[in-house]
Amino acid sequence: MTNIEEALALLAAPYTDERFFIRALSALTLVTQCRWAGFARPSERPGFGEVIAFCDGKKSLPSFEFELKGSPCEQVYWQTEKCHLIFSHDLQNRFPDFPLLKSLDAHSYQAEKIVNNNGNVLGHIFVLDQLPQTENTKSKEFFRLLAQRIGVEYHRHILTQELIQHQEMITSSEQYMSFVDTHYIYRVVSKGYESLFNLPQEQIIGKAVTELHGQPVFEGQIKPLLDRCFLGEQIKTQVWIHPPHIEQPIFLDVHHNPYYDANGKIKGAIVSAHNITELENAKSKVEFLANHDSLTGLANRRSLFQQFEQLLAVENDSPNKVAIAYIDIDDFKSINDNFGHQIGDLVLKEVARLLTSICAQHDTVARIGGDEFVLITTFTCAQTGPSGQSLIHRLREQLQQALCTSLIVEGKRINVSASIGLHLVTDTSAEISALISHADNEMFKYKQSNCAQR
């Protein structure tokens, strides 16, 4: 296995915990053949940075904080607009006041800045070595791709940490607590209800639930739960509610417990609720990042396989036909080379928009590589015809018409074309990867045929 293959294998596993960063840095040492690799970010202390993941090959080293001034990292954040930076040799003489270099006896340094979609700096990855470094296209491109991947996973990590903080906040926050009698009247309420209904407690007590929540919410959400509780059932559920006096709906974790009098007769329900709207929104963000491409917002490879598997299960006994389109943007490297990666990213976003605009509501559009996209679409039996070839022909024409075009990006006119491979699924029991490979192979044949005609 080559260094590149082993590095890619290290990155193939999905993010599960903070060990991802060490795996990624190990991959970086393999590709660059450097001894040390690290992932650093600006510290909360002004003028300082912190290395949060550091490795010697595959061995993890302790994290640490350092002063940016007088370090190579200072160049990354403050003294260059470039995303990639290299000091190929003579590192200790360039930065004589940075003790880490002397302790490691490091003489060369290479780094790549990590930015989010808004252009804000999240941190940087770097390698150090005792020998001089030579920059090459392969290692530089791997640096860039790895920085993008770490940026996505680090953003997801931040959201996960926020999720944990929200859980802790909710645990200690004031609850909504009330006692509702069997006539659906509030008899006791906590102070939390004052903000819910914008009324003092004494004006809430004695009012009917329907009066405060509105008839539709009462009949559709609240009454069925109370009725079950009045029959003796303990209920734990989560519901969205939108009281008339608040601007946005809120998501509640709700417990209903029946209240018995001294004779064992149910007199009402004790309701306890937590507002977990922020927690639910944080979960949604984490789930979105796990299933979508961070640049285009399209489904990612993981989501594509999941949706495709569900579609094939549904269409297994259906006369409908499923078609796969594998799309590769022609000569995309020249766009990056001529206009820069920022323009290249905007072109990819525009291609994603074009694909989405021509697709039906239930189609799946995914970005599975740098400039590679996959479309999964379904056609009814009436649309396909006897052989389905007319379907394939129409789909190719539709995609070519949309994607072979001239785009205006940041005031620059960029001509775009695409090579498209199409496959009509005839065996819904086949492996998903094999079905996509059929379309990929057709795309490759199409690209070769076009090159031969030029």
Side-chain angles (χ1 to χ4, degrees):
M1 182 181 287
T2 66
N3 288 334
I4 291 288
E5 289 170 339
E6 188 174 353
L8 292 175
L10 278 167
L11 291 179
Y15 171 87
T16 54
D17 55 33
E18 293 184 36
R19 289 291 303 168
F20 166 82
F21 299 112
I22 294 299
R23 292 200 304 269
L25 295 175
S26 296
L28 188 57
T29 62
L30 282 171
V31 172
T32 60
Q33 291 293 285
C34 290
R35 180 170 176 180
W36 299 282
F39 170 36
R41 66 185 179 189
S43 173
E44 293 181 359
R45 293 175 64 191
F48 282 79
E50 57 180 336
V51 174
I52 61 174
F54 194 45
C55 76
D56 181 352
K58 295 182 179 180
K59 177 184 173 184
S60 178
L61 298 174
S63 57
F64 58 92
E65 192 176 55
F66 61 96
E67 188 172 3
L68 283 171
K69 187 175 181 181
S71 75
C73 305
E74 179 186 21
Q75 308 280 319
V76 176
Y77 295 115
W78 296 339
Q79 297 183 14
T80 179
E81 293 297 320
K82 297 179 181 178
C83 284
H84 193 80
L85 184 69
I86 184 169
F87 297 109
S88 59
H89 63 284
D90 203 31
L91 190 62
Q92 292 186 35
N93 288 332
R94 287 174 179 264
F95 304 97
D97 298 323
F98 194 56
L100 177 67
L101 305 180
K102 293 180 181 178
S103 65
L104 297 178
D105 194 27
H107 292 279
S108 61
Y109 172 94
Q110 194 173 172
E112 179 81 16
K113 193 183 299 183
I114 299 174
V115 297
N116 61 18
N117 290 337
N118 297 322
N120 298 321
V121 178
L122 296 176
H124 73 286
I125 52 176
F126 64 90
V127 290
L128 293 165
D129 200 71
Q130 294 170 328
L131 298 174
Q133 293 186 44
T134 302
E135 188 178 62
N136 61 71
T137 303
K138 187 175 293 184
S139 65
K140 186 175 180 180
E141 182 64 15
F142 190 85
F143 251 101
R144 191 181 74 84
L145 293 174
L146 185 62
Q148 289 180 348
R149 175 76 193 278
I150 286 181
V152 170
E153 302 300 354
Y154 183 57
H155 184 50
R156 188 187 302 176
H157 171 72
I158 291 172
L159 286 175
T160 302
Q161 293 304 308
E162 289 179 352
L163 189 62
I164 294 171
Q165 291 175 0
H166 285 312
Q167 289 173 322
E168 293 173 349
M169 289 168 58
I170 289 166
T171 302
S172 61
S173 66
E174 184 179 354
Q175 296 184 25
Y176 301 118
M177 295 192 68
S178 64
F179 171 67
V180 182
D181 69 17
T182 53
H183 299 290
Y184 313 107
I185 303 295
Y186 282 115
R187 294 303 179 187
V188 178
V189 297
S190 68
K191 195 167 182 63
Y193 273 77
E194 293 187 337
S195 60
L196 192 65
F197 297 117
N198 196 30
L199 290 171
Q201 286 172 285
E202 56 270 19
Q203 290 188 26
I204 299 172
I205 295 170
K207 281 189 166 52
V209 176
T210 182
E211 183 180 353
L212 292 169
H213 286 275
Q215 190 70 25
V217 172
F218 173 70
E219 293 290 345
Q221 293 178 262
I222 300 176
K223 186 176 183 296
L225 295 173
L226 288 173
D227 288 344
R228 287 166 57 190
C229 188
F230 294 158
L231 293 174
E233 185 178 352
Q234 292 184 334
I235 306 167
K236 179 181 178 181
T237 188
Q238 294 179 340
V239 294
W240 284 98
I241 67 166
H242 194 176
H245 302 288
I246 62 174
E247 186 176 343
Q248 297 292 334
I250 59 175
F251 194 61
L252 297 178
D253 183 56
V254 188
H255 294 253
H256 290 74
N257 292 283
Y259 176 75
Y260 298 86
D261 64 13
N263 299 318
K265 183 179 179 181
I266 293 176
K267 303 297 291 184
I270 298 173
V271 183
S272 174
H274 288 83
N275 183 347
I276 57 171
T277 308
E278 291 186 12
L279 177 63
E280 183 66 13
N281 290 338
K283 283 182 179 178
S284 297
K285 288 181 181 179
V286 172
E287 289 171 2
F288 184 88
L289 282 172
N291 291 289
H292 291 80
D293 171 51
S294 61
L295 176 66
T296 63
L298 298 178
N300 59 17
R301 181 183 290 271
R302 175 176 181 268
S303 180
L304 170 69
F305 274 61
Q306 288 178 342
Q307 293 184 52
F308 198 4
E309 184 177 21
Q310 293 169 1
L311 175 64
L312 292 180
V314 170
E315 300 297 341
N316 188 33
D317 298 320
S318 170
N320 296 339
K321 293 291 185 182
V322 177
I324 309 166
Y326 198 105
I327 302 156
D328 180 86
I329 306 303
D330 293 331
D331 202 17
F332 183 71
K333 183 177 182 299
S334 68
I335 296 177
N336 279 334
D337 291 344
N338 294 330
F339 299 98
H341 289 288
Q342 183 176 358
I343 295 295
D345 287 348
L346 293 175
V347 169
L348 292 175
K349 286 184 178 182
E350 184 64 16
V351 168
R353 187 193 66 78
L354 291 171
L355 281 172
T356 305
S357 69
I358 64 173
C359 291
Q361 182 178 359
H362 299 294
D363 290 348
T364 297
V365 186
R367 180 187 177 214
I368 62 168
D371 60 341
E372 295 176 334
F373 299 81
V374 169
L375 163 66
I376 309 293
T377 187
T378 304
F379 292 84
T380 64
C381 185
Q383 291 174 297
T384 60
S387 66
Q389 290 307 307
S390 58
L391 173 154
I392 293 294
H393 181 70
R394 289 198 307 272
L395 182 57
R396 183 183 296 282
E397 283 188 337
Q398 186 182 20
L399 290 171
Q400 290 285 9
Q401 184 177 2
L403 299 179
C404 296
T405 184
S406 182
L407 303 176
I408 303 298
V409 179
E410 296 284 306
K412 298 176 176 64
R413 182 177 296 276
I414 301 174
N415 294 323
V416 176
S417 63
S419 295
I420 301 167
L422 298 169
H423 177 67
L424 193 64
V425 177
T426 56
D427 180 9
T428 56
S429 65
E431 289 287 335
I432 291 174
S433 56
L435 294 174
I436 294 176
S437 291
H438 287 316
D440 185 13
N441 292 336
E442 291 299 317
M443 182 277 295
F444 185 70
K445 292 176 186 177
Y446 181 89
K447 186 181 286 285
Q448 283 188 318
S449 174
N450 278 359
C451 290
Q453 293 174 11
R454 290 171 185 169

